[in-house]
Amino acid sequence: MTLRLGEKTLTPPVLLAPMAGITDRPFRDLVMEFGAGLVVSEMVASQEMVQAKPGVRERAELSADVENTAVQLAGREVHWIAEAARQVEDRGARIIDINMGCPAKKVTNGYSGSALLKTPDHALRLIEAVVEAVAVPVTLKTRLGWDEHLMNAPDVAYRAQEAGVQMVTIHGRTRCQFYKGRADWAAIRAVRETVNVPLVANGDITDAAAARAALAQSGADGVMIGRGAQGRPWALAEISHALYGTTAPEIPRGQALVDMVTRHYEAMLAFYGAELGLRVARKHLGWYMDEAGTAPELRKAVLTGREPAVVIRLLADALTPETEVAA
């Protein structure tokens, strides 16, 4: 139940996927409180970070004492991605992940993310530049291929391994599928047959049953959870307990859930500032209320509240079942 990256170990092999606008410092901290083998930052654009564009450095905010956290970098130019890697290592990153999987048009139109699957030679130069720039482990996250006619993940993963990448994560879709249909975990097995470094399966893994199936079909060594953790920061710990016998998480309910969500909300306000934090928090509050089955009118009131104190007051009713409120 351990993934080994050189001298570093990730235990258990249940990891939090990088998600733009979601896996910021407050959410990563919360997931790690419950338990995870690794949490990964939002994708950080290399050039924008080096040039200190507003808001970009915050996405890579780590603190040097944060264990089992990776910073994910995206880029299309060797100079910028290598320099960004040096900077995040200097700021405390323990692992650097290279993004070759993001399907968003604003990323692929800039020849970054999964667009690099179309130019594997150039992708390899980027990988080599990052590996040479830093001493910490470098990992790669990508997809099965660009489309059904270019399913080149096995070759790309092998070349990445030979360049020094110490772990590969494969999302079981092509770029052109975006997030449609179902992830093809069995197709990841072709990558298993080409690499010896730890392999992680990603895509549609939301619970223990899906995690077991993904591991069996892909031959992977671990799983990475993305959307399954939205509104459920304990999901990784829950899956780890079911698969590997780790300590079961205490899933908060009733007042404990209200307290946890309030703490997360306040952490976002402190991290981003009140104005931006209020907006960023809405998606997370929405997911928490999805899990709690909040009534539509109360949900709307929480998501449109403009005063943090008002939102916090509303959360008590929004996240507590009617039977508990009545009691």
Side-chain angles (χ1 to χ4, degrees):
M1 57 176 282
T2 293
L3 300 181
R4 188 171 298 278
L5 281 63
E7 297 181 355
K8 189 170 187 61
T9 58
L10 306 180
T11 304
V14 180
L15 320 179
L16 177 67
M19 293 180 283
I22 300 169
T23 55
D24 54 18
R25 177 67 186 273
F27 187 65
R28 296 196 307 265
D29 286 350
L30 186 56
V31 170
M32 283 301 291
E33 284 182 23
F34 285 99
L38 182 76
V39 295
V40 186
S41 75
E42 301 175 75
M43 178 186 70
V44 178
S46 300
Q47 182 173 348
E48 285 80 352
M49 179 179 174
V50 174
Q51 294 177 333
K53 292 291 181 65
V56 176
R57 287 178 184 266
E58 287 79 1
R59 294 177 196 153
E61 179 60 46
L62 293 174
S63 297
D65 61 347
V66 177
E67 284 285 354
N68 288 6
T69 300
V71 176
Q72 189 185 73
L73 298 178
R76 64 181 180 276
E77 296 184 27
V78 166
H79 167 73
W80 294 118
I81 199 167
E83 183 57 31
R86 293 187 192 98
Q87 288 194 13
V88 296
E89 181 184 38
D90 288 345
R91 298 176 63 222
R94 309 298 180 91
I95 297 171
I96 294 173
D97 186 61
I98 299 174
N99 181 306
M100 284 178 51
C102 180
K105 289 183 179 179
K106 66 180 180 180
V107 176
T108 59
N109 286 348
Y111 305 106
S112 297
S114 56
L116 291 168
L117 289 164
K118 296 194 292 184
T119 56
D121 291 342
H122 179 59
L124 184 64
R125 287 192 288 272
L126 296 173
I127 292 167
E128 290 172 338
V130 174
V131 171
E132 292 171 5
V134 298
V136 298
V138 176
T139 62
L140 174 69
K141 186 172 190 291
T142 187
R143 288 183 167 231
L144 296 173
W146 175 256
D147 59 23
E148 62 182 12
H149 304 295
L150 184 61
M151 302 276 282
N152 58 343
D155 179 62
V156 168
Y158 175 77
R159 297 177 71 181
Q161 171 187 272
E162 295 303 290
V165 160
Q166 297 187 39
M167 184 175 77
V168 175
T169 299
I170 302 292
H171 182 106
R173 291 181 175 87
T174 65
R175 182 272 174 181
C176 290
Q177 286 180 278
F178 287 87
Y179 296 99
K180 297 176 182 177
R182 294 289 301 172
D184 188 350
W185 302 321
I188 298 174
R189 186 169 287 276
V191 179
R192 170 77 292 166
E193 294 170 357
T194 66
V195 299
N196 298 315
V197 296
L199 175 65
V200 178
N202 173 232
D204 295 341
I205 302 172
T206 57
D207 55 26
R212 285 194 187 93
L215 290 170
Q217 293 176 33
S218 66
D221 306 294
V223 292
M224 182 171 276
I225 314 302
R227 289 172 288 175
Q230 294 173 354
R232 302 169 61 238
W234 55 82
L236 279 73
E238 200 172 27
I239 291 169
S240 297
H241 171 66
L243 268 61
Y244 304 108
T246 57
T247 302
E250 292 188 15
I251 300 174
R253 294 182 174 85
Q255 188 58 46
L257 178 62
V258 174
D259 292 343
M260 186 207 76
V261 174
T262 299
R263 183 161 53 88
H264 185 193
Y265 181 61
E266 291 174 337
M268 286 185 280
L269 296 178
F271 184 74
Y272 290 105
E275 184 176 350
L276 178 57
L278 194 68
R279 297 198 301 271
V280 171
R282 286 170 182 155
K283 65 174 82 70
H284 289 279
L285 297 182
W287 293 322
Y288 287 130
M289 289 188 290
D290 286 343
E291 287 292 310
T294 305
E297 289 186 6
L298 186 51
R299 176 191 177 91
K300 181 179 179 181
V302 170
L303 297 182
T304 57
R306 296 180 179 275
E307 295 295 331
V310 173
V311 173
I312 289 171
R313 283 201 304 271
L314 290 170
L315 286 174
D317 288 341
L319 300 173
T320 306
E322 291 183 9
T323 54
E324 294 189 23
V325 172

